[in-house]
Amino acid sequence: MFPGATTDREAASYVVVGAPLDATTTFQPGTRFGPDRIRRFAETYDDYDRRTDSDFSALGVCDAGDVRPWDDVEAYLDHLAAELRSVTYDDAVPLTLGGEHTVTHAGVEAVGPDALVVCDAHLDLRDAYDGNPLSHACVTRRALDDLGVDRAVIVGARTGSEEEWERAAAADVTVVPPEDARTWIDGIDADTFKDESVYCSVDIDGLDPGFAPGTGTKEPFGLDPREARDLVRAVAPTADGFDVVEVNDRDDGQAAALAGKLLREFVRSHAAARTE
């Protein structure tokens, strides 16, 4: 159970769903442990937040547990999307705990956003990786080409194949490298996503591995935790779905602790915007 959440689905404004998919991870697997690990390392966080003057436990968060994966990734994503879509039908916001980044495919399919905002070290714009179009290295490409997303903003990206950089040059992709992230985040205002629905995805490897070593494909020179926090805070008010992904068990809890905190920041900022 995510700390501060309940099992009361009917009264929920936000529903946490674990998606421990670990099928296409490269280099260092272990994302199957991500959801439980994020829950565990969020246990020490205070319920009260002074910035928003809110108790997390009073914001209507339900933890619906995990959707356990199986070998057929395409079938699993269809099932996960149906579970997340049922959350939106209840006028609640789905909050997905990964699991590899491929699970964002299901979140985007369920929410149907106009814009995808991703914090990620990698472009994830490959059409296929090792022949697999549903690899975690392809999730942003699938969102744009197959799931009807009009545009993607990839914050923190600092690596990609030649094919990916060619795709990133198209008008429907904006790449914000780490050195420009603070300026871009600070520039988010009411007009940035005006008349757009947004889905926000945080791949924990978007942060520098010095802060979040528990992830499979570490890429140095990334965002710092405050930049990721402020990105989530800025995007949350206009977002209809959120996930944090690619956390594994190969550190002392740093990545999971950040992931849990970012989820809480999303909920607090989203809820505060609703009451304005």
Side-chain angles (χ1 to χ4, degrees), residues 66-124:
D66 290 353
V67 177
R68 294 292 180 184
W70 58 92
D71 292 343
D72 189 331
V73 173
E74 184 175 4
Y76 174 72
L77 292 175
D78 286 344
H79 179 65
L80 179 60
E83 293 289 334
L84 297 174
R85 193 177 297 113
S86 73
V87 175
T88 69
Y89 289 163
D90 293 334
D91 293 323
V93 177
L95 312 170
T96 307
L97 301 178
E100 63 175 73
H101 209 168
T102 307
V103 302
T104 298
H105 187 288
V108 169
E109 185 176 354
V111 171
D114 301 309
L116 171 64
V117 178
V118 190
C119 174
D120 202 336
H122 309 88
L123 293 171
D124 287 354

Side-chain angles (χ1 to χ4, degrees), residues 13-273:
S13 298
Y14 306 91
V15 179
V16 176
V17 177
L21 184 66
D22 198 3
T24 75
T25 47
T26 46
F27 190 53
Q28 290 185 318
T31 54
R32 69 194 66 189
F33 304 113
D36 286 345
R37 198 164 172 83
I38 294 167
R39 293 179 176 108
R40 175 188 171 194
F41 282 93
E43 288 178 1
T44 62
Y45 296 141
D46 285 325
D47 193 34
Y48 177 74
D49 176 61
R50 185 173 181 178
R51 179 181 69 90
T52 56
D53 190 27
S54 66
D55 290 315
F56 188 80
S57 60
L59 298 179
V61 181
C62 167
D63 191 336
D66 290 353
V67 177
R68 294 292 180 184
W70 58 92
D71 292 343
D72 189 331
V73 173
E74 184 175 4
Y76 174 72
L77 292 175
D78 286 344
H79 179 65
L80 179 60
E83 293 289 334
L84 297 174
R85 193 177 297 113
S86 73
V87 175
T88 69
Y89 289 163
D90 293 334
D91 293 323
V93 177
L95 312 170
T96 307
L97 301 178
E100 63 175 73
H101 209 168
T102 307
V103 302
T104 298
H105 187 288
V108 169
E109 185 176 354
V111 171
D114 301 309
L116 171 64
V117 178
V118 190
C119 174
D120 202 336
H122 309 88
L123 293 171
D124 287 354
L125 288 171
R126 298 173 188 264
D127 193 41
Y129 186 79
D130 287 341
N132 182 5
L134 293 177
S135 167
H136 71 152
C138 309
V139 65
T140 303
R141 180 71 172 264
R142 296 281 74 76
L144 289 165
D145 290 4
D146 300 343
L147 298 178
V149 171
D150 293 331
R151 68 182 183 117
V153 182
I154 311 168
V155 183
R158 48 201 183 271
T159 189
S161 66
E162 183 176 2
E163 170 204 355
E164 289 177 283
W165 285 111
E166 289 174 356
R167 181 63 181 84
D172 58 353
V173 179
T174 300
V175 178
V176 183
E179 56 268 27
D180 296 336
R182 171 53 62 189
T183 299
W184 188 83
I185 294 165
D186 289 345
I188 295 175
D189 58 23
D191 292 327
T192 303
F193 300 105
K194 187 176 181 180
D195 300 324
E196 288 182 300
S197 60
V198 179
Y199 187 94
C200 182
S201 175
V202 176
D203 184 329
I204 208 68
D205 70 27
L207 287 88
D208 191 90
F211 298 110
T215 193
T217 47
K218 302 173 183 63
E219 190 70 33
F221 313 131
L223 303 186
D224 68 40
R226 290 189 185 92
E227 289 170 330
R229 176 200 67 186
D230 292 347
L231 171 63
V232 169
R233 285 179 177 178
V235 174
T238 57
D240 297 317
F242 174 81
D243 66 50
V244 58
V245 299
E246 294 286 341
V247 172
N248 67 23
D249 61 336
R250 294 173 181 263
D251 67 1
D252 292 325
Q254 297 97 315
L258 277 168
K261 198 72 169 180
L262 291 172
L263 183 145
R264 289 165 68 101
E265 290 289 341
F266 177 90
V267 172
R268 292 188 193 279
S269 296
H270 189 277

